Amino acid sequence: MLAYPMPSNAVGQLEAWRAAAGACYAEGTGAHAVHYVPASWAGIRPWPGLLAD
């Protein structure tokens, strides 16, 4: 994402969406949330070569 930042006009559009229709997602996604816990992936062996360490 750092290599391909969003154009400034897209950032503005995203901010406008979040202030209106996306306001319900300001505090998360509710029941649709996915909790990412890196430690839970530690047992995956062999680790896929296309993924970083």
Side-chain angles (χ1 to χ4, degrees):
M1 291 177 75
L2 291 174
Y4 303 100
M6 291 175 62
S8 59
N9 67 326
V11 173
Q13 291 174 357
L14 183 58
E15 289 172 346
W17 172 82
R18 187 170 177 247
C24 61
Y25 301 110
E27 297 299 321
T29 56
H32 299 286
V34 176
H35 300 284
Y36 174 69
V37 181
S40 66
W41 294 68
I44 297 176
R45 295 286 185 259
W47 191 252
L50 295 175
L51 298 177
D53 289 337

